[in-house]
Amino acid sequence: MKISTHYSSKNGSFYFHHTVTEPTSDVSAIYGPESHRWFEIIYLIEGEVQYFIEGEQYLARTGDLIFILPNEIHAIQRNSKMKYERVVVSFDFNVIKDMLDLGGFTVDDSFLEMKNAVHRIIPTRLVEKYGLKDILYNIGNLDVADPAVSYRFVSAVLLLVTGLNNLFSKESSEPVFLVATDPVVKKAVDYINNHVTEQITLDEISEALHVSKSTLCHKFSEYMNTSVNRYIAAKKIYYAMRLIKNGMRATEASESVGYEHYTTFYHNYKQIIGVSPSIDKK
């Protein structure tokens, strides 16, 4: 894997990288699952990638754009026999909303409350129609040594957000993605998200969905590329992370997401986030 260019703001609110992964002899390569607290946009310059996002599978090909909402668990499986080149942009919308107002940009609920899966994978035709391709190419080719790189990047993100908002508001009814899903998995994901502050067991989920635990685990692993228990742990930890960053003590956050023992919470937090809760709060 070769990172052509990479930039991250000092406060971590903006991030992008332009990366190229050359073909290999493997049939496929799997990354994740993972989650981020910011919006994430991936522009697939070249390649073929299957995305697993919150109980559904999406296929993206060269020229497509992938849109992932904050705190969504996702994983990817790429076709390793093909070159995999992408530009990835992440940003905290709360940081740029004031900039949007000052710049005279218009963004409405079409962007902020995007819940229609029709926009998970935006095909190359619409990416080009709404000017997103040029914006993302410009981001991928930014010179990080330029003293004005932060200004140029944020300006491009503002244009990107307004372009997406325009697309979402006008193309909401058009089926623009290839998707596979399973009702059992989708219901399981919804159940976990609705009970994330409680203790959740496989028995409870399978009973609520009227399926066996073996069926639940098999289908979940197939469609989510992770186990039910790992998904539950990740959802709880990312939820707790938001509480900690908003000022809550780690022990209180642990209790708030249903952990009986702080040591278990601490271990899972370090394993999933990569740092301890106290460091993350700082």
Side-chain angles (χ1 to χ4, degrees), residues 9 11 18-19 24 30 43 56 101 125 148 157 174 252 254:
S9 64
N11 62 1
H18 177 193
T19 306
T24 66
I30 298 175
Y43 177 57
E56 295 177 321
D101 294 336
R125 178 181 62 82
V157 171
E174 184 177 350
E252 294 175 334
S254 172

Side-chain angles (χ1 to χ4, degrees), residues 54 185 187-209 213 216-217 220 227-237 239 254-260 264 268:
E54 295 290 334
V185 177
K187 289 178 182 178
V189 167
D190 291 341
Y191 183 93
I192 294 168
N193 287 332
N194 291 332
H195 297 81
V196 69
T197 58
E198 307 168 18
Q199 293 186 27
I200 307 172
T201 66
L202 284 174
D203 288 326
E204 292 172 348
I205 301 174
S206 60
E207 182 178 347
L209 272 56
K213 287 194 292 185
L216 171 63
C217 292
F220 202 95
S227 69
V228 179
N229 285 331
R230 187 177 179 189
Y231 179 85
I232 293 172
K235 274 294 180 178
K236 286 180 174 291
I237 292 302
Y239 188 93
S254 172
E255 295 172 357
S256 296
V257 293
Y259 276 89
E260 291 185 338
T264 304
N268 287 350

Side-chain angles (χ1 to χ4, degrees), residues 83-245:
K83 182 180 179 181
Y84 177 37
E85 182 176 2
R86 64 277 188 197
V87 173
V88 179
V89 178
S90 299
F91 57 91
D92 178 3
F93 185 80
N94 291 325
V95 174
I96 68 169
K97 60 183 179 182
D98 292 335
M99 300 180 190
L100 287 165
D101 294 336
L102 290 172
F105 296 97
T106 301
V107 176
D108 57 26
D109 292 345
S110 299
F111 180 82
L112 296 178
E113 298 181 6
M114 197 287 288
K115 297 178 181 178
N116 191 338
V118 73
H119 293 130
R120 292 289 191 198
I121 307 296
I122 302 173
T124 182
R125 178 181 62 82
L126 294 182
V127 172
E128 295 179 359
K129 176 180 177 180
Y130 288 88
L132 305 178
K133 177 180 178 180
D134 291 338
I135 296 171
L136 287 157
Y137 261 114
N138 289 337
I139 291 175
N141 291 321
L142 283 173
D143 180 5
V144 295
D146 183 351
V149 63
S150 60
Y151 169 78
R152 299 185 192 283
F153 179 39
V154 172
S155 298
V157 171
L158 296 177
L159 291 172
L160 183 61
V161 169
T162 52
L164 283 167
N165 184 83
N166 190 27
L167 185 155
F168 294 163
S169 63
K170 295 181 179 179
E171 307 284 350
S172 59
S173 62
E174 184 177 350
V176 294
F177 60 87
L178 297 174
V179 61
T181 188
D182 184 276
V184 170
V185 177
K186 191 60 181 173
K187 289 178 182 178
V189 167
D190 291 341
Y191 183 93
I192 294 168
N193 287 332
N194 291 332
H195 297 81
V196 69
T197 58
E198 307 168 18
Q199 293 186 27
I200 307 172
T201 66
L202 284 174
D203 288 326
E204 292 172 348
I205 301 174
S206 60
E207 182 178 347
L209 272 56
H210 306 292
V211 297
S212 67
K213 287 194 292 185
S214 60
T215 298
L216 171 63
C217 292
H218 173 74
K219 286 180 175 291
F220 202 95
S221 178
E222 178 184 359
Y223 278 86
M224 289 294 288
N225 203 31
T226 189
S227 69
V228 179
N229 285 331
R230 187 177 179 189
Y231 179 85
I232 293 172
K235 274 294 180 178
K236 286 180 174 291
I237 292 302
Y238 281 109
Y239 188 93
M241 180 182 69
R242 297 200 303 274
L243 298 178
I244 292 170
K245 288 186 177 294

